[in-house]
Amino acid sequence: MNTHHLCLGILSLGEASGYEIKKAFEETFSHFQATSYGSIYPALAKLTEQGLVSFREETQEKRPTKKVFTITQAGYEHFYQTLMNSEPAEQYRSDFLFLMMFAHLLPKTHVETLLNKQTEHLKTELEILQRIISECQSLTPGMRFTLEYGIAANQALLLLMQQRHSALLEEIDAARSPLES
Amino acid sequence: MNTHHLCLGILSLGEASGYEIKKAFEETFSHFQATSYGSIYPALAKLTEQGLVSFREETQEKRPTKKVFTITQAGYEHFYQTLMNSEPAEQYRSDFLFLMMFAHLLPKTHVETLLNKQTEHLKTELEILQRIISECQSLTPGMRFTLEYGIAANQALLLLMQQRHSALLEEIDAARSPLES
DNA sequence: ACATACATGTAAATAGTTACATGATTTC
DNA sequence: GAAATCATGTAACTATTTACATGTATGT
């Protein structure tokens, strides 16, 4: 999936401006997809050129004029074909785990800071997902499932972090060569 | 973390050729970091230029000559500074969840295929991680932790996939507009 | 005969992020 | 008076993937 597909996806749920598409990502989908203005605006221009979306300009009082985009029939069909032809691929990249891999090279206090930061990060993510799932009405069952999926992962990892914290610090300490602090 | 840092990390565990660095990633770290030959070879050339690694050429019988790289003292110090200055960032990108978000637009059989593929994927990942953690001696405690982390996440998600499978398909079906199949 | 493993490397293409540019309005 | 929100867009930079190029040896 690239920014083009992400935009078509959002627009299949209802019309929106580039700014609103970005906000939708930040608020709801940031845990499994991301993009930026620098990608969204060129993507919307290209999609318009291809006839997959159309827009009207909406002048507002006390707000800048905005372009409200709507997905066209051609865009909808294109999006459907994309969905049907896409593999359910995944990628997880973690600097946290990379740093932990070399924990034996780092001061104990630093490793503890890393573990605490990660625990906080997992807690925050979990709270965000739980808030969305409880507050938002009108979620599609699929959307609700993506939130459950994130919640399940975060809960399991948070539990691991809490259970292993102390023993892990000890184990890393024991593995450190005697000359290092 | 970029390919330069990944190479320094592997070399901090022992000398290796570009080819061996790639293999190490495929076998052991692919679940949280990835890279390719097109990044590794230029990175090793640059690191040599900067004096952060050195290499000797090793001629082999019945095998092509290889360049065996070793991290230098300067490289080690540089890597330590990188570790100390890096935030424990994470990113998860999932086309599977994106597709599930729009499951109400897809045929039921297709959604079921997606769910089955994802379940298989989680099972395979889990087995790989469990095999590594049980077979590999001489893992650093940090490395062992990265495996436990992956195992915890995969187990929790696999459980969710199994528990929710049937009900989810029903819910998606109910959300489909009557005209669609 | 064909595929895979070993081994190094380049070049083009892809895609994305970050910073910049502009400017009104609202909140602290 | 400063920062955040609303709103669109461009350009330079960064990084990585993919395909290509080359060649031997081993396994099926």
Side-chain angles (χ1 to χ4, degrees):
Chain A
M1 297 296 160
N2 60 32
T3 301
H4 290 75
H5 302 133
L6 303 183
C7 289
L8 285 179
I10 303 297
L11 294 177
S12 83
L13 302 171
E15 55 177 34
S17 65
Y19 190 84
E20 286 160 354
I21 289 173
K22 176 76 194 312
K23 259 200 356 188
F25 272 99
E26 278 169 1
E27 283 169 9
T28 326
F29 321 125
S30 63
H31 77 106
F32 63 92
Q33 293 290 339
T35 193
S36 60
Y37 291 129
S39 297
I40 291 170
Y41 286 116
L44 289 170
K46 198 67 178 281
L47 290 168
T48 303
E49 203 184 287
Q50 296 171 326
L52 303 177
V53 305
S54 62
F55 69 91
R56 61 165 200 280
E57 290 203 318
E58 204 167 271
T59 47
Q60 300 172 110
E61 285 169 47
K62 306 193 176 183
R63 288 264 170 270
T65 297
K66 64 178 175 181
K67 286 185 179 179
V68 179
F69 291 87
T70 310
I71 192 166
T72 63
Q73 184 60 33
Y76 196 86
E77 279 158 23
H78 179 90
F79 183 55
Y80 179 77
Q81 288 308 320
T82 301
L83 292 179
M84 288 300 283
N85 295 317
S86 298
E87 286 302 305
E90 298 210 277
Q91 79 172 69
Y92 170 65
R93 297 293 161 245
S94 172
D95 283 357
F96 166 65
L97 290 184
F98 184 77
L99 293 170
M100 287 308 294
M101 206 176 132
F102 299 100
H104 59 284
L105 302 177
L106 301 171
K108 189 171 183 174
T109 52
H110 190 79
V111 177
E112 190 154 22
T113 303
L114 292 174
L115 290 172
N116 289 338
K117 277 189 185 174
Q118 181 66 4
T119 300
E120 281 315 301
H121 173 246
L122 292 169
K123 267 188 198 165
T124 307
E125 278 294 300
L126 184 59
E127 278 160 24
I128 291 170
L129 296 173
Q130 284 174 333
R131 188 180 52 72
I132 297 172
I133 211 168
S134 66
E135 282 180 16
C136 290
Q137 261 68 42
S138 78
L139 290 172
T140 65
M143 186 65 219
R144 191 170 295 275
F145 175 70
T146 69
L147 295 166
E148 288 171 12
Y149 197 90
I151 288 167
N154 279 286
Q155 276 176 338
L157 292 173
L158 203 47
L159 195 66
L160 179 77
M161 293 293 288
Q162 282 159 355
Q163 284 173 341
R164 296 286 281 112
H165 184 95
S166 305
L168 185 60
L169 284 168
E170 294 303 311
E171 287 163 31
I172 290 162
D173 216 33
R176 216 167 258 128
S177 43
L179 285 171
E180 295 166 290
S181 62
Chain B
M1 295 296 159
N2 60 28
T3 301
H4 289 75
H5 302 133
L6 303 183
C7 289
L8 286 179
I10 302 298
L11 294 176
S12 83
L13 302 170
E15 53 176 36
S17 66
Y19 190 83
E20 287 161 353
I21 288 171
K22 177 76 193 312
K23 260 200 356 189
F25 271 100
E26 278 169 2
E27 285 167 9
T28 326
F29 321 125
S30 62
H31 76 106
F32 62 92
Q33 293 291 337
T35 192
S36 61
Y37 290 128
S39 296
I40 291 171
Y41 287 115
L44 289 170
K46 198 68 178 279
L47 290 168
T48 304
E49 204 186 284
Q50 295 171 324
L52 303 179
V53 305
S54 62
F55 70 91
R56 60 166 200 280
E57 290 203 318
E58 204 167 90
T59 48
Q60 300 172 111
E61 287 169 45
K62 307 193 176 183
R63 289 262 173 272
T65 298
K66 66 178 175 179
K67 286 184 177 178
V68 179
F69 290 87
T70 310
I71 193 166
T72 63
Q73 184 60 33
Y76 195 87
E77 280 158 22
H78 179 89
F79 183 55
Y80 178 78
Q81 289 307 321
T82 301
L83 293 179
M84 289 300 284
N85 294 318
S86 297
E87 286 301 305
E90 298 210 277
Q91 77 172 70
Y92 170 65
R93 296 294 162 247
S94 172
D95 283 356
F96 165 66
L97 290 184
F98 184 77
L99 294 171
M100 287 309 295
M101 206 177 132
F102 300 100
H104 60 283
L105 302 177
L106 301 171
K108 189 171 183 174
T109 53
H110 190 78
V111 177
E112 189 154 24
T113 303
L114 291 175
L115 290 172
N116 289 338
K117 277 189 185 174
Q118 180 67 4
T119 300
E120 281 314 303
H121 173 246
L122 291 170
K123 269 188 195 164
T124 307
E125 277 293 301
L126 184 58
E127 278 160 25
I128 291 170
L129 297 173
Q130 284 173 332
R131 189 180 52 70
I132 297 171
I133 211 168
S134 64
E135 281 179 15
C136 289
Q137 261 67 44
S138 78
L139 290 172
T140 63
M143 186 65 219
R144 191 170 296 275
F145 175 71
T146 67
L147 296 165
E148 288 171 11
Y149 196 90
I151 289 167
N154 279 285
Q155 277 176 339
L157 292 173
L158 203 47
L159 195 66
L160 179 77
M161 294 293 288
Q162 284 159 354
Q163 285 174 341
R164 296 286 282 112
H165 183 95
S166 306
L168 185 60
L169 284 169
E170 294 304 311
E171 288 163 30
I172 291 163
D173 217 32
R176 216 169 258 125
S177 43
L179 285 170
E180 296 167 289
S181 63

